[in-house]
Amino acid sequence: YCIKFMNIITTHISDETAELLKQFAKQKSVSEKHIVKEAIEDYLEACGNYDEALRRLQDVNEKSYTIDEAKDKLGFQSHS
């Protein structure tokens, strides 16, 4: 058997936020727990992406590109 334990957290949210969450969950036909879990995961992923981008901006050895250079490297045509 493989038992997967989940961590549980508790937080306080305003009545307005709780009502918005309830409405959104109903609209999407998912649980409120699912929305909160996904929101936390998305937030943490975005923070990680931001931290990595910031690290790269501060790294003098990291190559950076102008928008035109990036378009060229990705094969997009410039309309200059």
Side-chain angles (χ1 to χ4, degrees):
Y1 287 95
C2 179
I3 299 174
K4 184 176 180 182
F5 293 98
M6 301 292 286
N7 292 305
I8 297 173
I9 62 169
T10 302
T11 189
H12 298 274
I13 58 174
S14 69
D15 291 343
E16 180 182 347
T17 300
E19 185 58 34
L20 289 170
L21 177 60
K22 182 179 179 181
Q23 291 173 10
F24 190 73
K26 185 175 182 179
Q27 177 187 11
K28 298 296 181 184
S29 300
V30 297
S31 71
E32 294 171 31
K33 292 176 186 179
H34 175 79
I35 293 171
V36 171
K37 176 183 170 289
E38 291 290 315
I40 291 170
E41 289 172 353
D42 289 350
Y43 176 80
L44 293 174
E45 181 181 350
C47 286
N49 291 341
Y50 172 79
D51 289 343
E52 176 62 17
L54 188 58
R55 182 196 65 74
R56 287 182 176 199
L57 280 172
Q58 294 171 343
D59 184 351
V60 295
N61 296 317
E62 186 77 29
K63 172 75 171 127
S64 61
Y65 299 93
T66 66
I67 190 68
D68 288 332
E69 290 171 327
K71 285 179 181 179
D72 186 49
K73 280 194 144 313
L74 294 171
F76 294 109
Q77 299 215 355
S78 180
H79 297 288
S80 305

